[in-house]
């Protein structure tokens, strides 16, 4: 059996998306800037996709800019706003658990002379609106806080932060790469000024994303050469990618409208409950309620996430032990460390992310295979054996309930 539970890394391209993209590639090959009969259908296809993407987040179509994906949208939002509002101030606020597309861009801005505040998070990976408010100074031009975390799935209090930033006259960007299509996102209700999303996390194409920029907000272009995308993101448009993103956004919106991803959330809960029932010494990472409906992230204590991944892969199960971009590096996740996990527990993290296509049979298969894998790996782990003997002493001491006992396991 093959089970794909790495949907936070990327999703399977939807059949309807593939068909629409193939048709766009074959038939709508004109340059959208050309005024002739080959260019016009390409322009129409792009504008249709703009309406489809806008509808997913309750934006106006003219507020959507197409980009090459989440990384570019985050870069454009942060650097573009920083440059455009330089005269107003030089301070940016973000959180310690952002994706590297935001964190590394902030580090770049620091090198250019901007000041960045990296807000700490609580044990669930959340910042509060109060923290944001307290960090705002006269110099603050932008707050960038992600909608839903790519590793632990924690949802940030976006509407509360939007209320604070709007009241203070500070721009608010949110990286909604993981949230768009998973939970209802409403840029009007949430008072968001800029929002990032990408096609390949919602069953659309890779290499195509969008940046929502509220009407009236200035963004300095980071590419130069043409007038496409209002001159803010020049370059001949990726028509098949944009068409695919549009279809993916419409389908994701329809799924949300149909059941709010309830079935996927229930399956996710079933998976998490099954893991906790079958495997001892497991810590749930992230918020239990304020959480993306597709995400399970647990630390299986005393073993390494990498070992679990390899063993799961051998039985056809695709998972992740951190964000896709950092797997391959053995550094513990910056998100888990910011949440206060020690290195060993962070190293034992396992992320399983579902999609609307995930079935109960697939989850049952994981629940059948994972406990045996954990048991085998723990059998080889000196840490686990040491912990077992400590646990044994603890139980013995509690049973005897020796008066005056000074051992560390008393009480
Ligand atoms: C939260 C978040 N932001 C940004 C990105 C980058 O998006 P893209 O892969 O489209 O560049 C990702 C991808 O993993 C992500 O999870």
């Amino acid at each position: 059996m093959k089970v794909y539970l790495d949907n936070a890394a990327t999703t399977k391209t939807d059949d309807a998306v593939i068909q629409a993209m193939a048709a766009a590639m074959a038939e709508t090959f004109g340059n959208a800037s050309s005024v002739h009969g080959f260019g016009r259908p390409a322009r129409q296809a792009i504008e249709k996709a703009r309406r489809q993407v806008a509808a997913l987040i309750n934006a106006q179509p003219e507020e959507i800019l197409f980009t090459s994906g989440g990384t570019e949208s985050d870069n454009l939002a942060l650097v573009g706003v920083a440059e455009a509002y330089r005269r107003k101030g030089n301070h940016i606020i973000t959180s310690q658990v952002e994706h590297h597309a935001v964190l590394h861009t902030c580090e770049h801005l620091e090198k250019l002379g901007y000041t960045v505040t990296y807000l700490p998070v609580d044990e669930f990976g959340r910042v509060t609106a109060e923290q944001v408010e307290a960090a705002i100074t006269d110099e603050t031009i932008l707050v960038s806080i992600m909608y839903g975390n790519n590793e632990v799935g924690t949802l940030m209090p976006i509407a509360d932060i939007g209320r604070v930033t709007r009241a203070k006259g500070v721009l608010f960007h949110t990286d909604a790469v993981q949230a768009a299509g998973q939970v209802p996102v409403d840029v009007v209700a949430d008072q968001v000024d800029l929002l990032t999303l990408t096609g390949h996390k919602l069953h659309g194409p890779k290499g195509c994303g969008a940046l929502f920029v509220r009407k009236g907000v200035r963004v300095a272009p980071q590419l130069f050469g043409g007038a496409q995308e209002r001159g803010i993101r020049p370059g001949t448009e990726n028509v098949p990618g944009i068409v695919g993103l549009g279809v993916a956004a419409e389908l994701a919106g329809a799924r949300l409208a149909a059941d709010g991803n309830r079935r996927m959330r229930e399956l996710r809960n079933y998976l998490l409950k099954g893991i906790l029932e079958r495997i001892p010494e497991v810590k749930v990472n992230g918020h239990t309620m304020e959480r993306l409906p597709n995400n399970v992230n647990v630390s299986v204590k005393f073993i390494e996430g990498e070992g679990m991944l390899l063993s799961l892969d051998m039985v056809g199960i695709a998972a992740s032990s951190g964000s896709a971009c950092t797997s391959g590096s053995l550094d513990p996740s910056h998100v888990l460390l910011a949440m206060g996990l020690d290195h060993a527990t962070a190293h034992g993290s396992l992320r399983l992310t579902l999609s609307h296509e995930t079935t109960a049979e697939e989850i049952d298969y994981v629940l059948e295979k994972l406990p045996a894998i954990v048991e085998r790996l723990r059998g080889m782990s000196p840490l686990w054996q040491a912990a077992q003997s400590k646990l044994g002493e603890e139980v013995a001491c509690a049973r005897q309930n020796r008066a005056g006992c000074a051992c560390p396991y008393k009480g």
Side-chain angles (χ1 to χ4, degrees):
M1 193 171 194
K2 289 251 181 264
V3 182
Y4 185 72
L5 287 182
D6 201 11
N7 286 281
T10 199
T11 52
K12 177 169 171 274
T13 319
D14 203 288
D15 285 345
V17 169
I18 295 172
Q19 279 164 26
M21 289 180 71
M25 195 101 86
E27 295 152 26
T28 325
F29 66 87
N31 187 321
S33 301
S34 303
V35 290
H36 50 57
F38 291 86
R40 284 196 304 273
R43 168 61 47 211
Q44 283 160 7
I46 290 173
E47 297 317 316
K48 179 178 175 194
R50 212 184 295 282
R51 291 192 294 277
Q52 289 167 315
V53 171
L56 182 64
I57 58 171
N58 193 26
Q60 299 299 313
E62 56 276 22
E63 294 174 317
I64 301 296
L65 296 173
F66 289 114
T67 68
S68 67
T71 302
E72 187 190 337
S73 292
D74 283 343
N75 274 258
L76 181 57
L78 272 80
V79 183
V81 164
E83 221 177 274
Y85 290 85
R86 177 89 212 211
R87 276 210 221 120
K88 188 168 179 267
N90 78 337
H91 180 225
I92 292 156
I93 298 169
T94 188
S95 82
Q96 291 177 359
V97 297
E98 299 296 311
H99 190 270
H100 285 130
V102 166
L103 288 178
H104 290 169
T105 305
C106 284
E107 287 162 19
H108 169 70
L109 286 169
E110 283 185 286
K111 286 191 200 126
L112 296 181
Y114 292 88
T115 307
V116 181
T117 300
Y118 300 89
L119 293 175
V121 295
D122 66 13
E123 62 186 299
F124 306 112
R126 287 192 117 205
V127 296
T128 63
E130 290 73 30
Q131 272 176 287
V132 172
E133 187 165 21
I136 291 175
T137 70
D138 292 345
E139 284 288 316
T140 310
I141 47 177
L142 179 67
V143 171
S144 181
I145 301 287
M146 71 200 316
Y147 209 111
N149 189 274
N150 45 302
E151 293 191 37
V152 296
T154 296
L155 292 165
M156 294 288 195
I158 294 300
D160 295 343
I161 297 171
R163 246 191 312 279
V164 164
T165 48
R166 192 58 62 84
K168 294 268 185 184
V170 172
L171 294 175
F172 179 27
H173 166 251
T174 186
D175 176 340
V177 159
Q178 295 288 341
Q182 295 286 337
V183 292
V185 171
D186 184 328
V187 291
V188 177
D190 291 344
Q191 306 192 62
V192 166
D193 299 299
L194 302 109
L195 179 143
T196 292
L197 60 83
T198 192
H200 74 106
K201 309 283 185 178
L202 33 93
H203 304 274
K206 292 170 182 59
C208 189
L211 179 66
F212 155 77
V213 182
R214 179 177 299 291
K215 229 174 276 175
V217 171
R218 286 178 286 126
V219 175
Q222 301 304 309
L223 294 175
F224 304 91
Q228 294 93 344
E229 300 302 284
R230 293 191 275 130
I232 301 172
R233 205 287 188 172
T236 302
E237 297 91 339
N238 170 7
V239 179
I242 291 171
V243 164
L245 173 58
V247 172
E250 185 170 315
L251 292 173
R255 284 193 297 271
L256 266 176
D259 79 339
N261 286 329
R262 186 175 54 84
R263 199 194 68 88
M264 182 170 64
R265 189 187 300 273
E266 284 169 3
L267 268 187
R268 187 277 309 275
N269 293 346
Y270 174 61
L271 171 61
L272 180 59
K273 190 164 169 278
I275 290 174
L276 295 175
E277 280 170 1
R278 287 168 178 76
I279 307 174
E281 297 286 336
V282 169
K283 177 188 184 320
V284 179
N285 296 320
H287 204 283
T288 45
M289 303 305 289
E290 298 298 325
R291 187 182 194 102
L292 291 169
N294 68 340
N295 175 292
V296 167
N297 189 313
V298 289
S299 282
V300 181
K301 293 192 188 160
F302 309 109
I303 54 174
E304 299 263 321
E306 298 295 320
M308 282 185 280
L309 285 195
L310 294 176
S311 302
L312 285 168
D313 189 34
M314 282 167 69
V315 294
I317 300 167
S320 161
S321 66
S323 71
C325 323
T326 52
S327 59
S329 122
L330 290 178
D331 291 341
S333 137
H334 69 285
V335 174
L336 297 177
L337 293 185
M339 288 161 55
L341 268 70
D342 59 65
H343 280 233
T345 310
H347 271 304
S349 82
L350 178 69
R351 182 183 72 177
L352 300 157
T353 44
L354 291 72
S355 85
H356 65 281
E357 292 188 342
T358 307
T359 64
E361 291 70 40
E362 290 174 337
I363 300 297
D364 283 334
Y365 181 70
V366 175
L367 291 176
E368 178 200 323
K369 296 291 177 191
L370 184 60
I373 288 172
V374 169
E375 202 177 321
R376 186 172 55 76
L377 292 173
R378 279 181 172 167
M380 297 186 288
S381 157
L383 290 174
W384 172 250
Q385 274 141 29
Q388 288 304 98
S389 58
K390 253 191 202 173
L391 207 65
E393 285 180 54
E394 198 171 329
V395 170
C397 184
R399 282 213 190 105
Q400 289 165 16
N401 200 17
R402 281 174 292 169
C405 173
C407 85
Y409 313 115
K410 177 93 174 91

